[in-house]
Amino acid sequence: MLRPRAIFAVAATILLIRPCSAYPELVDKIKARQINVGSLRSSYDYIIVGGGQSGLVIGNRLSEDSSSEDPEFDNPGQLEPSSATSYPARDLFNVTTVPQTAIGGKRVSVYAASVVGGGSTVNGMLFDRGAAEDYDNWAALGNHGWDFAGLLPYFRKSTKFGTPDAAIVREYNITWDPNAYGNGPIDVTFPSWQWPTIKVQWKAWNEVGVPTMTDGESGNAFNAYWVPNNVDSQSRRSYAKNRYFDPVSTRQNLHLLTGYRVNDIQFSSTKRAQSVRIQQRGTANGAPTTTISANQEIVLCAGWLNTPLVLQRSGIGPQDLLTRAGIPVMVDLPGVGSNLQDHPATQIRFQYTRDVQPNQASLYSNQTFQAWAQQQWQQYRKGPLSMLVGNALATLPLPTMLTTYQSLISRVNSQTASQYLPNTYGAANVRGFEAQRRVLMASYASLKNGVVEIPFSGGGGTSLVLEKPLSRGTVLMNPSDRFADPTVDYNTSINPIDNELFVAMIKFYRRWMQAPSMQQLGPQEQSPGSSITSDQQIISYATQGMISSTAHSCGTAAMMPQDQAGVVSPELLVYGVTGLSVGDISMIPLIPATHTCATVYAIAEKWWLRHYDKLHPHINDFQNYHYQLEDNNGNDANHYLFSSRPSSN
Ligand SMILES: Cc1cc2nc3c(=O)[nH]c(=O)nc-3n(C[C@H](O)[C@H](O)[C@H](O)COP(=O)(O)OP(=O)(O)OC[C@H]3O[C@@H](n4cnc5c(N)ncnc54)[C@H](O)[C@@H]3O)c2cc1C
Ligand SMILES: *[C@@H]1O[C@H](CO)[C@@H](O)[C@H](O)[C@H]1NC(C)=O
Ligand SMILES: *[C@@H]1O[C@H](CO)[C@@H](O)[C@H](O)[C@H]1NC(C)=O
Ligand SMILES: *[C@@H]1O[C@H](CO)[C@@H](O)[C@H](O)[C@H]1NC(C)=O
Ligand SMILES: CC(=O)N[C@H]1CO[C@H](CO)[C@@H](O)[C@@H]1O
């Protein structure tokens, strides 16, 4: 039965919560907690700006309490595997970039969710983690505790692995590391179907020097490896809303308000974040605002697009931008809205003239097969229709693709960094980029970290994705109308080395197609086409079809040292003020070679750790707890803690 969809009709969401820290057991449980603006309290302990993916995780953890299940208002269509490839426009902010000069001057769409659950509600459900080096790089940029070892407990804490269909696992040799998962809210598993052609593709990777990794999720997400989905055993979406919010929505201390946006944050004379001003979304700027204050902290979880915008509107950002907008400068932080990164992508197409049967086309061309697939799905929720976007990635280290990789690296090192950065970047931004470039170049030379990603699932064509771009962009408030859409500029491929990496990727893809095993499929290149051979021709092909974003935008309130245009400290606290933190994807300093959903859960879970001692004063052995959490294979340390809490009767 269709449940009310109202929640999906709204865009911005605000989550306000008031933890009952001392005696949670005394709170009477009344049904919550989607409230209207009239029922708001005037103050809360914590205000979370953005009820998206990270916001719901943080709301759950902060309001933690024993509670009962009360799932409600799911959009059933959004739970189905088919939703992995259809991003509903009503759930996304309608924003495009300024013309991207290096890829033909086109304006490209950006992907920023505007719905409860955020990106996790609408995304493709490919659920992977980066290589250990991706996160070790964050730590190397001055962020103690944010290496892979420091994040693994939170990757575990947020997930639970469900054993997939044994026959499919055997037939396709699907591998995973059970120790990489815990007993957490997000269900992770493999669907009960793969296309047989993929067996040939795996073999062909091995033949061109790309080994199979059997435990990509344990820090080994490079070379070729299997990637699960965040779905339950019925291939239904498992995401922030139905796993982190619905089960706790009866908590009296957790309020979710939808349909409003946070305009800005107000500060005390000592620069303590005190309150947020909210306004109904879609109303004219003169519409009434409501002010709500926070006793403890305001947490920004509005995503890569809106977290920097809220900061800029609040007087935290690049001084000259704020001045031009007539906003008094609270803190001059030139990193707010800079350091924008995503994974740009282009397409390549080969046709298999002697494909094995059945193959992806059978779903459209073979009625017998189609009918069988329908029946498998309707009766058992199994078969081809249980599949989402595929489950295998080749994430290739540069030395694997390019024997001359050392020369490419020295050309990067000899670039004048500022030459290829947006002209809004000042000295601190350039220093930050130079620091990133140092760790990035070590990763370019590494055999344990990929620079590009090639998803494969049996088809001859795919997206070719650049995982470690050098180009950097910006998200900047419109100085003449702070409530207008921000100006987004990825500056895609503005650094010419990014295009060289696309050339290497396309050439390597052709080599893969020439591997001995691949020949049984009769691969035939359709685009770019065999007449496109010179680097220059390949670049013009790649940039023509290039998109700036594969929906992994990040970095716009980066965790970097303040003199390198950082916005937050390793504790995720915004520099220069108190009582304000960032809990979402904006904090990422350097984009990891992975789709970002799993990483956002880990970030949000780790955000919450800092508050544990405050919220649970009866636990006086915090250090020990900390140790335990990092050491317990993710078997939900909460249970251990709950059992040590004074009982409620
Ligand atoms: C279409 C799409 C497909 C994707 N596919 C994949 C995939 O297959 N695999 C993968 O791993 N990752 C994927 N991702 C990426 C991943 O889902 C995101 O990186 C992640 O969800 C970001 O989480 P977040 O909490 O930082 O922001 P979000 O989840 O975007 O949350 C931001 C929230 O803030 C709210 N908000 C914004 N402004 C305001 C304001 N002023 N006041 C109040 N609230 C506000 C928004 O409405 C939203 O609810 C995809 C993302 C998208 C959008
Ligand atoms: C998005 O914005 C454009 C231009 O402002 C407009 O033409 C289009 O209708 C909008 N799309 C949606 C889904 O609102
Ligand atoms: C399965 O994978 C393992 C590990 O890569 C490999 O050693 C083995 O040969 C594979 N078996 C088949 C049947 O492909
Ligand atoms: C169509 O699919 C059926 C069922 O999978 C299969 O037996 C048959 O060989 C297929 N036909 C063709 C032409 O591939
Ligand atoms: C759209 C665009 O090209 N934006 C900027 C990209 O970076 C260069 C500097 O290399 C700027 O001059 C552009 O304005």
Side-chain angles (χ1 to χ4, degrees):
M1 197 196 76
L2 273 174
R3 289 169 180 277
R5 272 192 182 185
I7 198 153
F8 289 109
V10 303
T13 61
I14 311 164
L15 188 68
L16 308 116
I17 63 156
R18 184 169 189 272
C20 309
S21 32
Y23 302 104
E25 55 281 357
L26 297 183
V27 173
D28 63 334
K29 310 248 174 355
I30 58 170
K31 189 161 172 318
R33 271 329 134 191
Q34 222 207 325
I35 61 170
N36 60 41
V37 71
S39 330
L40 287 172
R41 300 163 195 252
S42 60
S43 83
Y44 290 80
D45 285 347
Y46 290 82
I47 296 178
I48 301 173
V49 180
Q53 185 185 329
S54 54
L56 295 186
V57 174
I58 290 172
N60 173 311
R61 294 308 183 194
L62 278 174
S63 62
E64 209 144 51
D65 189 356
S66 60
S67 62
S68 57
E69 296 261 332
D70 181 28
E72 54 182 341
F73 46 70
D74 274 318
N75 170 357
Q78 208 55 34
L79 295 179
E80 295 297 325
S82 55
S83 72
T85 48
S86 63
Y87 310 143
R90 66 171 190 279
D91 293 344
L92 297 170
F93 287 102
N94 183 14
V95 174
T96 47
T97 65
V98 298
Q100 297 296 291
T101 49
I103 57 171
K106 63 194 150 209
R107 294 175 185 270
V108 297
S109 300
V110 312
Y111 297 99
S114 65
V115 63
V116 174
S120 79
T121 304
V122 295
N123 71 19
M125 295 185 262
L126 191 76
F127 202 72
D128 59 337
R129 304 168 183 173
E133 276 189 15
D134 282 306
Y135 309 103
D136 294 350
N137 283 348
W138 297 2
L141 290 168
N143 302 303
H144 182 70
W146 289 91
D147 53 2
F148 184 66
L151 274 160
L152 186 55
Y154 306 98
F155 279 122
R156 288 183 176 134
K157 192 176 197 300
S158 52
T159 54
K160 174 166 66 215
F161 191 83
T163 310
D165 187 302
I168 294 291
V169 167
R170 220 175 310 115
E171 183 176 355
Y172 288 93
N173 209 3
I174 296 175
T175 54
W176 66 91
D177 177 3
N179 293 322
Y181 303 94
N183 191 27
I186 300 295
D187 289 310
V188 182
T189 192
F190 288 94
S192 67
W193 183 261
Q194 295 296 324
W195 295 103
T197 314
I198 202 174
K199 294 179 194 170
V200 180
Q201 294 183 321
W202 278 104
K203 220 161 157 211
W205 280 126
N206 297 162
E207 288 167 358
V208 295
V210 178
T212 301
M213 309 303 286
T214 56
D215 57 349
E217 63 273 73
S218 290
N220 296 317
F222 50 86
N223 300 325
Y225 51 97
W226 288 98
V227 174
N229 303 113
N230 51 291
V231 293
D232 64 15
S233 61
Q234 306 280 295
S235 268
R236 283 199 182 93
R237 184 184 292 268
S238 178
Y239 66 120
K241 194 190 147 295
N242 65 2
R243 291 298 187 273
Y244 277 96
F245 180 72
D246 291 346
V248 303
S249 62
T250 51
R251 289 177 186 167
Q252 206 228 307
N253 59 348
L254 179 66
H255 287 177
L256 173 67
L257 174 70
T258 60
Y260 282 73
R261 72 164 179 239
V262 168
N263 284 349
D264 53 12
I265 299 156
Q266 295 164 311
F267 295 86
S268 72
S269 57
T270 58
K271 298 198 177 180
R272 179 167 188 85
Q274 257 184 332
S275 55
V276 295
R277 245 191 316 216
I278 66 172
Q279 191 172 40
Q280 196 160 11
R281 227 183 155 242
T283 56
N285 290 333
T289 59
T290 308
T291 299
I292 305 152
S293 48
N295 306 322
Q296 300 278 346
E297 191 165 312
I298 296 171
V299 191
L300 289 166
C301 292
W304 67 273
L305 180 67
N306 286 288
T307 284
L309 192 62
V310 171
L311 283 168
Q312 289 164 8
R313 286 200 295 248
S314 308
I316 301 180
Q319 178 155 21
D320 48 327
L321 174 72
L322 303 180
T323 306
R324 272 188 296 137
I327 294 175
V329 179
M330 178 67 46
V331 194
D332 174 20
L333 286 186
V336 176
S338 74
N339 194 45
L340 173 63
Q341 297 163 63
D342 203 321
H343 298 135
T346 198
Q347 298 289 314
I348 191 161
R349 215 147 56 86
F350 275 66
Q351 195 190 359
Y352 291 136
T353 55
R354 292 188 298 274
D355 207 346
V356 294
Q357 294 294 336
N359 56 57
Q360 293 181 355
S362 309
L363 266 186
Y364 308 95
S365 60
N366 180 337
Q367 283 184 8
T368 319
F369 183 76
Q370 199 180 41
W372 176 81
Q374 281 292 347
Q375 180 251 340
Q376 285 291 303
W377 176 242
Q378 276 156 16
Q379 267 190 307
Y380 315 112
R381 292 183 70 90
K382 286 186 184 303
L385 300 180
S386 72
M387 225 182 146
L388 301 102
V389 292
N391 296 92
L393 298 178
T395 301
L396 304 176
L398 186 57
T400 303
M401 290 194 298
L402 198 63
T403 49
T404 56
Y405 71 95
Q406 288 291 7
S407 122
L408 182 142
I409 291 172
S410 33
R411 274 181 293 116
V412 173
N413 284 330
S414 61
Q415 285 183 338
T416 304
S418 58
Q419 191 185 341
Y420 300 107
L421 292 171
N423 46 27
T424 52
Y425 280 28
N429 303 83
V430 175
R431 277 196 299 276
F433 176 77
E434 284 170 343
Q436 292 183 5
R437 193 170 70 176
R438 276 191 291 278
V439 301
L440 253 184
M441 288 310 106
S443 289
Y444 273 35
S446 170
L447 283 170
K448 295 187 162 189
N449 201 346
V451 294
V452 304
E453 175 199 288
I454 303 176
F456 62 105
S457 52
T462 191
S463 296
L464 303 174
V465 191
L466 178 56
E467 296 293 300
K468 295 211 177 306
L470 290 163
S471 300
R472 294 287 180 274
T474 48
V475 175
L476 300 172
M477 173 179 55
N478 178 340
S480 50
D481 179 1
R482 67 186 77 167
F483 298 111
D485 290 335
T487 304
V488 180
D489 185 357
Y490 288 97
N491 241 318
T492 304
S493 276
I494 212 78
N495 191 314
I497 301 287
D498 286 355
N499 285 335
E500 287 191 43
L501 296 170
F502 273 104
V503 171
M505 184 160 33
I506 287 173
K507 288 182 173 170
F508 198 77
Y509 193 90
R510 285 171 166 169
R511 250 170 78 193
W512 181 49
M513 286 293 154
Q514 283 154 15
S517 290
M518 200 67 98
Q519 299 324 300
Q520 65 188 275
L521 302 174
Q524 224 165 58
E525 180 167 340
Q526 307 204 300
S527 62
S530 47
S531 66
I532 305 296
T533 51
S534 74
D535 288 7
Q536 209 37 60
Q537 286 174 314
I538 294 175
I539 289 173
S540 73
Y541 165 81
T543 52
Q544 201 182 354
M546 197 173 294
I547 51 173
S548 300
S549 164
T550 44
H552 304 147
S553 295
C554 61
T556 48
M559 178 177 68
M560 294 275 291
Q562 192 176 351
D563 66 353
Q564 295 176 4
V567 176
V568 297
S569 68
E571 292 212 288
L572 302 184
L573 293 165
V574 175
Y575 292 125
V577 296
T578 56
L580 183 63
S581 66
V582 173
D584 66 20
I585 197 168
S586 315
M587 61 67 78
I588 289 183
L590 196 53
I591 193 167
T594 180
H595 304 238
T596 44
C597 186
T599 300
V600 169
Y601 284 123
I603 292 166
E605 289 280 14
K606 196 170 161 77
W607 175 94
W608 159 87
L609 183 65
R610 177 165 55 85
H611 298 262
Y612 209 91
D613 49 350
K614 259 196 267 175
L615 296 175
H616 300 268
H618 55 287
I619 292 160
N620 44 30
D621 197 3
F622 183 63
Q623 281 309 317
N624 187 36
Y625 167 71
H626 194 294
Y627 172 76
Q628 256 232 332
L629 184 65
E630 308 244 333
D631 207 43
N632 74 348
N633 285 338
N635 289 317
D636 200 355
N638 284 321
H639 288 151
Y640 168 78
L641 281 163
F642 282 173
S643 64
S644 72
R645 176 185 267 181
S647 113
S648 55
N649 42 16

